[in-house]
Amino acid sequence: MSNPTVRPVTPFDPRRDAEILRKAMKGFGTDEKSIIQVLAHRVNSQRQEIAIQFKTMFGKDLISDLKSELSGKFEDLVVALMTPTYDFLAKEIYNAIDGIGTNEETIIEIICTASNAEINNIKMAYHKLFGKDLEKELMGETSGTFRRLLVSLCQGQRNENTFVDVASAQADAQNLLQAGELQFGTDESTFNMILCSRSFCQLQQVFLEYHRLTGRDFEDVIKSEFSGDIENGLRAIVKSVRDKSSYFAKRLHESMAGFGTNDKSLIRIVATRCEIDMVDIKNAYMSMYGKSLEADIASDTMDDTSGDYKKCLTALVVG
């Protein structure tokens, strides 16, 4: 069930919004407040309609105009908001793969939490934008058990029915126990097969049955049986099954914790989740860290001299 902070605005007048944006960028200086007022309070599909109207009315590309008027992290956030969602996620994966070293965390965050439809839409966007096959690209950049996990998830073939088969969950729990704790070394393929193909409802039951059998929490089992990227990938799946909003709350906290901010993560999660489950993420954040997400964003974007980056992030998070 979705619980977004940004919902479709009604009545929606894309021509009027296009005019407001044109006026905000015309002449001397930029009216950032009007830009935030429009873009942070429309869903992505509405922003796409505004871009079409903008081009129709003024013969100019809205993203190009915004980029020439804005700068820094505020510009990055606005471009993220204006990019069709799956194009944006495909670009984030491309950037995570491109260059020296691979940013596995970003790949895990996007691929390991996605539904079949989301995976298939990202693959199509990736091919459209870069003329390359996402699965092949990921295979070229990763290795071993982590590569196999990503290849399995890239098929977008997870069972998605909501019926829970208890007997099958008991059998899976038994097989996982045999593949992990009960043998020397780990049979990774059993973990891969079960965690990539069973529905989220079914996996919840598997984790329950595993706990019943062993008294151990399944995430702890993964920590003790795996390490590195494969551990992080499998744990992201377990967290998504249990409570996706807590997973993203933790990712947001990590993006702001310590010295400096990982703005790419912060922008990506806020720009995409505000239309899905940001209300739940905020609640999870509050209960996990005892501070509101908005308060942490405010204190973490201190170096945002104009304040527009902070205002826009806050508008998306508050709704």
Side-chain angles (χ1 to χ4, degrees), residues 29-63:
T30 309
D31 176 5
E32 286 88 355
K33 193 176 171 197
S34 293
I35 293 172
I36 294 169
Q37 196 53 48
V38 172
L39 299 183
H41 298 93
R42 308 287 181 272
V43 292
N44 194 285
S45 56
Q46 292 182 324
R47 294 183 210 118
Q48 303 313 317
E49 282 189 62
I50 296 167
I52 291 167
Q53 287 300 332
F54 193 89
K55 195 172 264 187
T56 304
M57 292 158 75
F58 309 115
K60 299 179 84 176
D61 181 76
L62 179 53
I63 292 189

Side-chain angles (χ1 to χ4, degrees), residues 83-258:
T83 307
T85 306
Y86 295 114
D87 289 9
F88 174 66
L89 291 172
K91 284 178 179 178
E92 290 289 289
I93 294 175
Y94 180 82
N95 292 333
I97 293 173
D98 201 34
I100 301 166
T102 307
N103 182 343
E104 287 86 4
E105 280 186 354
T106 301
I107 295 168
I108 289 168
E109 179 201 296
I110 297 171
I111 303 273
C112 294
T113 65
S115 66
N116 292 343
E118 287 166 340
I119 292 271
N120 290 318
N121 281 319
I122 291 167
K123 286 198 306 195
M124 275 166 22
Y126 199 93
H127 194 267
K128 177 189 77 181
L129 292 169
F130 307 111
K132 292 176 176 176
D133 180 79
L134 177 58
E135 184 189 319
K136 288 197 177 105
E137 290 278 277
L138 289 170
M139 284 178 73
E141 291 296 327
T142 54
S143 59
T145 47
F146 182 52
R147 176 197 283 166
R148 291 205 289 276
L149 177 74
L150 293 178
V151 168
S152 294
L153 293 172
C154 266
Q155 306 316 304
Q157 292 293 321
R158 181 185 294 285
N159 184 323
E160 287 188 338
N161 71 33
T162 51
F163 171 74
V164 173
D165 179 341
V166 176
S168 156
Q170 288 168 338
D172 277 348
Q174 191 64 54
N175 287 336
L176 286 163
L177 183 58
Q178 296 289 348
E181 295 183 66
L182 292 185
Q183 70 162 352
F184 182 69
T186 309
D187 170 17
E188 293 93 353
S189 59
T190 301
F191 281 80
N192 195 78
M193 186 269 291
I194 292 170
L195 288 172
C196 292
S197 61
R198 306 291 187 256
S199 73
F200 274 18
C201 305
Q202 186 67 21
L203 283 173
Q204 278 185 325
Q205 191 65 37
V206 173
F207 303 156
L208 267 175
E209 299 299 340
Y210 195 98
H211 190 263
R212 206 166 278 164
L213 271 174
T214 64
R216 290 190 72 194
D217 180 78
F218 196 70
E219 204 182 328
D220 292 336
V221 174
I222 286 174
K223 279 190 219 171
S224 59
E225 294 288 329
F226 296 91
S227 62
D229 297 327
I230 182 67
E231 179 200 338
N232 294 335
L234 291 172
R235 283 176 66 191
I237 295 172
V238 175
K239 284 178 197 294
S240 292
V241 168
R242 288 180 162 163
D243 183 8
K244 203 174 277 191
S245 42
S246 296
Y247 171 78
F248 281 106
K250 184 168 186 280
R251 289 284 295 155
L252 283 166
H253 189 258
E254 286 166 353
S255 78
M256 296 184 282

